Amino acid sequence: MANQTVIFELFRPYGITSGNLSDLNNIIKGKTGGQIFTRTHRILKNRNEIIINGLSGNENGVTEIFSIRELRKIPLIRSVSKRSVTSTFTIPSDPSTACLDFQKISFPIKIRKWKPGDYFYPLGMDSRKKLSDYFTDRKFSRIAKEDAWIMESAGHIVWIIGERIDNRFRITGSTREALIIKIKNPL
């Protein structure tokens, strides 16, 4: 009984009531993927951890960007620049920075959440991979998958933002201009 009281007190700030305490216990003792929603939060079992995140409004919208200037106004973008690719050009290895072949980008660019069936060609690979498989391989939690943002150009995924670019948009020997995008906080 003492454990029930401790669990209740720990989770009460996240909207747990005595009425859904037994459901919470089932989530804690259950398998990965179990979840419970309170009025204010979602509580999720992911492997050996419990993840709590607040519920907010609709974050599934698609933003269309028609220029580099508009791209700079996206809240998660820290900076955007276009640079000539010369023999001294160095590609950053930081996943919070995308270095893309500008000639392969078509406006409008879309920033959106990923959806089932999405695929891309991960940097360094010539074969396509479903994003769901990529997320599983990288051990993304359910919440991390839901929070993943995608940059799309002409119907093709350009970048899993903060993770990996698509091989088709990489800098090559024939690239003349690079579009360099840095996000504010790595995801």
Side-chain angles (χ1 to χ4, degrees), residues 18-36:
S18 58
N20 57 13
L21 185 58
S22 66
D23 292 335
L24 174 61
N25 279 318
N26 291 336
I27 299 300
I28 292 170
K29 295 174 185 173
K31 295 180 180 179
T32 292
Q35 62 184 343
I36 185 172

Side-chain angles (χ1 to χ4, degrees), residues 128-145:
R128 74 184 203 173
K129 186 170 193 104
K130 284 187 173 182
L131 264 59
S132 59
D133 293 337
Y134 177 82
F135 294 146
T136 299
D137 292 348
R138 300 272 298 145
K139 298 190 181 344
F140 273 43
S141 70
R142 178 185 245 171
I143 292 173
K145 289 178 197 175

Side-chain angles (χ1 to χ4, degrees), residues 11-79:
F11 287 90
R12 186 170 56 153
Y14 306 109
I16 288 296
T17 64
S18 58
N20 57 13
L21 185 58
S22 66
D23 292 335
L24 174 61
N25 279 318
N26 291 336
I27 299 300
I28 292 170
K29 295 174 185 173
K31 295 180 180 179
T32 292
Q35 62 184 343
I36 185 172
F37 289 88
T38 68
R39 290 182 328 142
T40 58
H41 289 80
R42 174 171 61 165
I43 302 168
L44 169 75
K45 172 95 180 244
N46 184 60
R47 296 179 181 84
N48 294 323
E49 62 185 359
I50 299 295
I51 300 172
I52 303 169
N53 69 329
L55 299 177
S56 59
N58 180 12
E59 298 175 344
N60 294 324
V62 175
T63 303
E64 286 193 78
I65 297 115
F66 293 89
S67 67
I68 291 175
R69 178 179 291 163
E70 286 182 32
L71 188 57
R72 289 183 180 116
K73 295 177 183 178
I74 301 298
L76 79 131
I77 304 291
R78 180 173 13 128
S79 67

Side-chain angles (χ1 to χ4, degrees), residues 142-154:
R142 178 185 245 171
I143 292 173
K145 289 178 197 175
E146 292 171 3
D147 288 344
W149 287 96
I150 302 303
M151 178 179 288
E152 178 184 299
S153 174

